[in-house]
Amino acid sequence: MIRLDAGRLLHHAAGLGDLLAGTVNGGASVGFLAPLSRPDALAWWEERAADVEAGRLDVWAALDGDRVLGTVSLAFPGKANSRHRAELVKLMVHPEARGRGLGRGLLTTAEEAAAAAGVTLLHLDTETGSPAEHLYRSAGWTPVGAIPDYAADPGGVLRPTTIYYKHVPATAPTR
């Protein structure tokens, strides 16, 4: 896993866009409706470079050469009273790379980086009943509860989401 600064994110934006479009068009609920075009997915990733540059977003990618096999991000709130927490977002693994522990590796990378940044609380939301729930529960994440009709899945159907959190031991002062 490599952490992508803004320049590396832009360098890998096409691969990240392919991963995002493929994930959404394959039925995963990560905030977009299907069909998601490659140009729209690419543009979404390119827009994230400013957040990476400003320190509001950390992005990691699992690469095979120059090919993006997976990604995960941490989004940091901008408020002084919330510097101890971050949101885990956009954990995605290419369909051809699933079942090899890559998702767990990405999750672990983000958790360890959060601790190194002084973040002690992580949170996320995921579609209730999705395969991702097994990963989060097996990695020690705690479900808080489900919100009905929280977001539309890629097909436009409203689905519930489950909110999770995890305490991580800080290994450095808070960002």
Side-chain angles (χ1 to χ4, degrees), residues 31-102:
F32 298 87
L33 297 175
L36 179 61
S37 72
R38 185 176 190 273
D40 287 345
L42 170 63
W44 186 86
W45 276 109
E46 289 174 338
E47 291 167 7
R48 306 285 76 76
D51 290 331
V52 169
E53 185 70 33
R56 293 183 297 263
L57 184 71
D58 285 350
V59 178
W60 292 267
L63 303 174
D64 180 13
D66 226 24
R67 185 171 178 228
V68 178
L69 297 180
T71 188
V72 67
S73 300
L74 289 175
F76 300 96
K79 299 175 186 163
N81 72 342
S82 56
R83 290 192 180 125
H84 67 288
R85 65 179 159 92
E87 182 179 9
L88 188 112
V89 294
K90 302 297 182 270
L91 174 59
M92 297 178 277
V93 175
H94 192 284
E96 294 174 12
R98 291 182 186 154
R100 298 186 229 159
L102 190 55

Side-chain angles (χ1 to χ4, degrees), residues 85-143:
R85 65 179 159 92
E87 182 179 9
L88 188 112
V89 294
K90 302 297 182 270
L91 174 59
M92 297 178 277
V93 175
H94 192 284
E96 294 174 12
R98 291 182 186 154
R100 298 186 229 159
L102 190 55
R104 180 161 313 269
L106 287 161
L107 184 58
T108 299
T109 295
E111 290 173 358
E112 290 173 354
V119 170
T120 58
L121 179 66
L122 294 172
H123 64 96
L124 63 85
D125 67 85
T126 193
E127 184 180 319
T128 303
S130 70
E133 280 199 291
H134 173 74
L135 172 63
Y136 299 131
R137 287 177 190 256
S138 69
W141 287 69
T142 302

